[in-house]
């Protein structure tokens, strides 16, 4: 019988090959994530032999990002975020500015246009949230002051990236690329910026005002049932549901939406249990993130 089982095939191949090369990486004293990347290369379209479904792997990797950022949020309160703002905000802005400038200079040296150089520099200026968090966890410094600064830095970068992605389409013509829409239909830049800021502010306000009361209450009600599987389901559904809702309704990234969901759920007395229950799925899907990158 002919069945379309690309999802199962991708998961089986991703986990299986990642296990082998992750084990080899650990044995030769290098991070396991290097082995996961190699596994992705081997089952990706750039190498001969079996090729997994790249699109499915990409979506699975997004789940890994959501769960990882949700787990970080469970250990990170609003006070922790505000405590590092004097370093994280100017640090992230200066770092992104310097990286963008270096990218523009490098692209100019290669003979690229200044518009292409700007996009190249902006791409270089954004750190990989998953890679950095995995590195901090491996070194056991995620809960230290330096770890909190790094997480705050990533949040600022994520917010800045949202603005960049909003501004690039209307500025495509100025940057030397094809415009995403006819000029008559394109929104003014000030309107695009204002709308994005309002959407992000509305999401944060909703999470801090409504979420801080609703999510701990929901977790408490589920915990009262005494069902472990319902509790785990509530945690995972909250993480993925809020991350998706933040993206669909407020144009906020999955990562940022999941992070705020975890940070709000930290107000619950069951936050430590929520972190423990979601850890296995978080680790499993974060492996698929690196496999997807390798692909």
């Amino acid at each position: 019988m002919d069945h379309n089982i690309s999802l199962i095939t991708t998961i089986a191949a991703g986990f299986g090959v990642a296990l082998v090369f992750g084990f080899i990486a650990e044995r030769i004293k290098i991070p396991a994530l290097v082995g996961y990347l190699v596994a992705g290369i081997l089952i990706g379209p750039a190498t001969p032999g079996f090729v997994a479904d790249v699109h499915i792997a990409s979506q699975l990797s997004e789940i890994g990002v959501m769960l990882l950022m949700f787990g970080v949020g469970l250990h990170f309160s609003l006070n922790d975020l505000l405590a590092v703002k004097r370093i994280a905000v100017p640090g992230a802005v200066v770092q992104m500015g310097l990286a963008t400038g270096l990218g523009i200079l490098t692209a100019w040296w290669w003979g690229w246009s200044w518009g292409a150089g700007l996009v190249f520099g902006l791409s270089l200026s954004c750190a990989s949230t998953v890679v950095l968090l995995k590195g901090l966890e491996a070194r056991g410094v995620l809960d230290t002051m330096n770890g909190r600064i790094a997480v705050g830095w990533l949040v600022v970068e994520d917010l800045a990236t949202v603005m960049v992605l909003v501004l690039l389409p209307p500025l495509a013509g100025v940057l030397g690329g094809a415009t995403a829409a006819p000029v008559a239909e394109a929104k003014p830049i000030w309107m695009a910026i204002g709308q994005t800021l309002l959407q992000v502010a509305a999401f944060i306000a909703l999470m801090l005002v409504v979420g801080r009361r609703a999510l701990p209450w929901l977790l408490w009600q589920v915990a009262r049932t005494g069902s472990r599987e319902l509790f785990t389901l509530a945690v995972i559904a909250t993480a993925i549901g809020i991350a998706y809702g933040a993206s669909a309704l407020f144009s906020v990234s999955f990562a940022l939406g999941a992070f705020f969901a975890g940070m709000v759920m930290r107000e619950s007395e069951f936050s430590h249990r929520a972190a423990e229950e979601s850890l296995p799925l978080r680790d499993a899907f974060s492996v698929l993130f690196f496999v997807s990158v390798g692909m």
Side-chain angles (χ1 to χ4, degrees), residues 94-292:
V94 171
Q95 176 255 314
M96 292 186 73
L98 288 175
T100 302
L102 289 173
I104 293 174
L105 289 176
T106 304
W108 173 77
W109 184 52
W110 289 341
W112 292 11
S113 67
W114 76 271
L118 177 62
V119 175
F120 176 66
L122 288 170
S123 301
L124 292 178
S125 70
C126 301
S128 172
T129 302
V130 179
V131 173
L132 182 56
L133 291 178
K134 276 293 183 182
L136 293 172
E137 282 186 339
R139 295 175 180 271
V141 296
L142 187 58
D143 291 327
T144 65
M145 178 54 69
N146 286 338
R148 293 190 179 95
I149 291 172
V151 173
W153 199 301
L154 288 171
V155 171
V156 175
E157 281 193 356
D158 209 332
L159 291 171
T161 303
V162 170
M163 293 302 302
V164 168
L165 293 176
V166 168
L167 290 175
L168 281 179
L171 291 176
V174 179
L175 298 177
T179 55
V183 177
E185 298 178 7
K187 292 182 180 179
I189 294 179
W190 65 268
M191 185 179 294
I193 295 175
Q195 180 178 347
T196 302
L197 290 175
L198 284 174
Q199 287 177 316
V200 172
F203 169 72
I204 294 176
L206 182 66
M207 292 302 298
L208 296 181
V209 176
V210 179
R212 291 181 76 176
R213 293 172 173 82
L215 294 185
W217 178 85
L218 172 65
L219 212 58
W220 183 74
Q221 293 294 331
V222 174
R224 287 179 60 192
T225 66
S227 172
R228 180 179 177 180
E229 63 185 40
L230 272 180
F231 186 86
T232 304
L233 180 61
V235 172
I236 301 302
T238 298
I240 297 178
I242 291 180
Y244 174 77
S247 176
L249 301 177
F250 300 98
S251 300
V252 175
S253 68
F254 290 136
L256 195 62
F259 173 76
F260 272 96
M263 194 171 67
V264 167
M265 192 172 279
R266 189 180 188 273
E267 304 290 330
S268 170
E269 59 183 298
F270 300 101
S271 60
H272 292 292
R273 181 183 170 187
E276 292 175 0
E277 296 288 351
S278 62
L279 183 61
L281 277 174
R282 190 181 77 189
D283 288 342
F285 278 98
S286 65
V287 169
L288 290 179
F289 169 83
F290 291 106
V291 172
S292 173

Side-chain angles (χ1 to χ4, degrees), residues 17-54:
V17 181
L19 172 62
V20 172
F21 284 93
F23 176 78
I24 293 174
E26 286 288 344
R27 293 290 292 178
I28 60 177
K29 306 300 181 182
I30 61 176
L33 64 87
V34 176
Y36 305 153
L37 291 171
V38 173
I41 294 172
L42 291 178
I43 66 173
T47 53
F50 171 77
V51 177
D53 192 311
V54 179

